Amino acid sequence: MPELPEVEVVRAGVHRWISGRTVADVEVLHPRAIRRHLEGPRDFADRLIGTTVVGASRRGKYLWLPLSTDGEAPETALVGHLGMSGQLLVIASDAPDERHLRVRFRFADDGPELRFVDQRTFGGLAVAELVDDGAGGHVPAPVAHIGRDPLDPAFDEVAFVRTVRSKPSEIKRILLDQTVASGVGNIYADEALWRAKVHGARPGSGLTRGAVTRLLADVREVMSQAIAEGGTSFDALYVNVNGESGYFDRRLAAYGQEGQPCPRCGTPIRRITFMNRSSFFCPRCQPWRPHGRAPQHAAARER
DNA sequence: CATAGATCCTGTATGC
DNA sequence: TGCATACAGGATCTAT
């Protein structure tokens, strides 16, 4: 279940261990893992071998490794999405193959290899062109269609609030729309909505500017905290992203907590099916429609 | 164009 | 014990 925080932890680990290394060999063990690379496994390998990885970047849940040839500025990148069960492992070459090993990368040095392991094969890798991101940087073409994520310094907060309030869709649906803001998945959406005391089924157009602004702040806060907890493994050689960022077990207030007391008010957390997914919320803290609490008059005017 | 639902995958857990 | 079903869920495709 990697969402933005888990992907960021992986990005940092890959940056730490793979930057500066030259690809010597690529082995695709399952074609579905590179289905987004339309030219196929041969071309995939050909476009990687001999290039040098010059960093690791991320937008939302996508991450990519810019590739340089002969010291030139990178024009392509290895793009990855972990899907639901993907892992990128930096591991000694003589370690036994994982059961769901899909792609293996060996390097020109004696260091550890990079492995893409993915049980459910929703994730995938591709080599893609880098294109202008409209702000002096570059993103791979397959990433250009999603919005910046809330932790991006160039994230347009004003536009986000405007967009959310222009949509009649449920707010949770909007949070999960990667073109509005990227990086938020089912878990952190529920956690941010719980923190903001907003029911996920409320229409975006029914929220005040203040409510959307606070919700965005809660999205940022919960993700930042998750990164901080997962980040303790940056120095480990074994970069694991199996959904568990360290945040899962201890800190989740709502997600997966059906029947458990709300940490704020003690009311049992409820689970409903929503968008063909589970949604967890506190029925007292997150009423469907805001009941007459404090900022009622101000909210009415703000509309 | 925007929106909503179906679909892809496989391992685990649960029900009968 | 065995079999069937539900569930996890991000992105993409299709239909409205």
Side-chain angles (χ1 to χ4, degrees), chain A residues 69-148:
Chain A
T69 303
D70 301 327
E72 301 288 323
E75 296 179 1
T76 64
L78 172 63
V79 191
H81 195 294
L82 301 173
M84 189 184 140
S85 55
Q87 298 170 276
L88 280 172
L89 308 178
V90 180
I91 191 169
S93 297
D94 58 4
D97 288 2
E98 291 74 14
R99 179 172 177 191
H100 301 292
L101 176 63
R102 307 305 189 196
V103 184
R104 182 203 318 276
F105 302 89
R106 294 184 219 266
F107 296 89
D109 51 60
D110 291 334
E113 60 186 43
L114 178 67
R115 297 181 184 178
F116 180 64
V117 178
D118 189 13
Q119 176 201 114
R120 280 173 244 190
T121 67
F122 276 32
L125 304 175
V127 178
E129 311 299 317
L130 288 167
V131 300
D132 286 344
D133 72 351
H138 296 85
V139 292
V143 182
H145 71 288
I146 70 169
R148 290 179 183 272

Side-chain angles (χ1 to χ4, degrees), chain A residues 84-245:
Chain A
M84 189 184 140
S85 55
Q87 298 170 276
L88 280 172
L89 308 178
V90 180
I91 191 169
S93 297
D94 58 4
D97 288 2
E98 291 74 14
R99 179 172 177 191
H100 301 292
L101 176 63
R102 307 305 189 196
V103 184
R104 182 203 318 276
F105 302 89
R106 294 184 219 266
F107 296 89
D109 51 60
D110 291 334
E113 60 186 43
L114 178 67
R115 297 181 184 178
F116 180 64
V117 178
D118 189 13
Q119 176 201 114
R120 280 173 244 190
T121 67
F122 276 32
L125 304 175
V127 178
E129 311 299 317
L130 288 167
V131 300
D132 286 344
D133 72 351
H138 296 85
V139 292
V143 182
H145 71 288
I146 70 169
R148 290 179 183 272
D149 62 65
L151 299 188
D152 187 328
F155 183 82
D156 190 337
E157 185 169 327
V158 173
F160 175 81
V161 174
R162 189 191 327 120
T163 301
V164 168
R165 298 187 72 233
S166 74
K167 289 177 178 290
S169 303
E170 299 98 325
I171 180 60
K172 182 169 178 182
R173 193 182 288 278
I174 300 170
L175 280 179
L176 295 176
D177 183 342
Q178 302 296 298
T179 66
V180 177
S182 61
V184 182
N186 202 39
I187 295 166
Y188 292 101
D190 277 5
E191 290 300 300
L193 288 164
W194 178 83
R195 289 184 180 217
K197 303 183 182 176
V198 172
H199 194 293
R202 290 178 57 193
S205 54
L207 299 174
T208 64
R209 278 188 206 85
V212 178
T213 302
R214 286 191 295 274
L215 176 58
L216 176 60
D218 286 324
V219 168
R220 286 172 165 154
E221 189 179 74
V222 69
M223 286 183 160
S224 298
Q225 290 177 0
I227 291 171
E229 301 215 4
T232 55
S233 62
F234 281 1
D235 285 338
L237 183 59
Y238 184 83
V239 180
N240 186 356
V241 69
N242 195 22
E244 276 61 38
S245 68

Side-chain angles (χ1 to χ4, degrees), chain A residues 2-51:
Chain A
E3 300 182 26
L4 186 153
E6 291 75 32
V7 179
E8 172 58 22
V9 171
V10 174
R11 186 207 62 77
V14 170
H15 185 87
R16 162 91 166 75
W17 291 100
I18 305 296
S19 287
R21 303 177 66 192
T22 297
V23 180
D25 190 36
V26 177
E27 196 180 343
V28 177
L29 294 100
H30 195 307
R32 189 172 151 79
I34 60 152
R35 67 193 179 286
R36 301 286 169 203
H37 190 94
L38 301 178
E39 298 84 0
R42 182 66 156 278
D43 182 78
F44 178 77
D46 285 348
R47 297 185 66 176
L48 279 156
I49 293 170
T51 68

Side-chain angles (χ1 to χ4, degrees), chain A residues 275-292:
Chain A
M275 294 173 66
N276 265 337
R277 272 164 181 75
S278 291
S279 287
F280 299 88
F281 66 101
C282 171
R284 182 167 171 191
C285 294
Q286 299 165 263
W288 191 282
R289 44 182 348 120
H291 49 258

